[in-house]
Amino acid sequence: MAEQARLIIYHEDDGIWYVDFPDWPFAHHNFAMVDGADKLCSYLADGKHTVRVEVIASKALLTLSGYGLLTKTYSNLFYGADYDATDFENFQRSVWICPSRCLCRGRHPKYIYVKKK
């Protein structure tokens, strides 16, 4: 079963991208996009300071049109997870997702599909 979310990500004055999770009880810095995730945000934002994305997390490969795919290559509860980014035109990098994602959603999915909205 796939889990779907729409996210707003902001590039703030400190030069860092942050996911907007206003109702989560974690400190703001826990939602910083770093180690490749920031590069993906910049790529998707295409020069803007805000990007809206639709994200689908799945245990199984799905056939989805218009989405880029992040495939988990390693994860650990305390480390977070590494993903290879594919299916993004002109973006082929590794992306790290921090452990707070696991705390928020309960796990690091095998596949994450991302589409700019």
Side-chain angles (χ1 to χ4, degrees), residues 7-113:
L7 303 174
I8 301 171
I9 306 168
Y10 298 98
H11 190 245
E12 295 189 359
D13 292 338
D14 62 4
I16 298 173
W17 288 93
Y18 294 91
V19 176
D20 182 26
F21 278 130
D23 297 331
W24 289 101
F26 303 107
H28 182 63
H29 73 273
N30 286 315
F31 298 108
M33 304 297 282
V34 298
D35 290 340
D38 54 339
K39 306 283 190 268
L40 181 59
C41 291
S42 292
Y43 167 79
L44 292 170
D46 196 28
K48 296 185 171 68
H49 289 281
T50 302
V51 63
R52 294 173 186 272
V53 295
E54 183 172 280
V55 177
I56 298 174
S58 178
K59 294 179 183 180
L61 274 172
L62 304 172
T63 303
L64 299 172
S65 180
Y67 286 82
L69 175 62
L70 302 174
T71 303
K72 182 171 63 173
T73 58
Y74 175 80
S75 69
N76 176 297
L77 178 62
F78 300 106
Y79 166 78
D82 291 325
Y83 288 84
D84 279 339
T86 59
D87 297 335
F88 291 95
E89 187 177 324
N90 300 320
F91 187 88
Q92 300 288 316
R93 298 175 188 231
S94 180
V95 173
W96 176 74
I97 305 293
C98 70
S100 62
R101 195 277 178 211
C102 189
L103 293 172
C104 294
R105 300 291 189 196
R107 62 180 167 77
H108 289 287
K110 176 68 177 167
Y111 304 101
I112 301 175
Y113 296 85

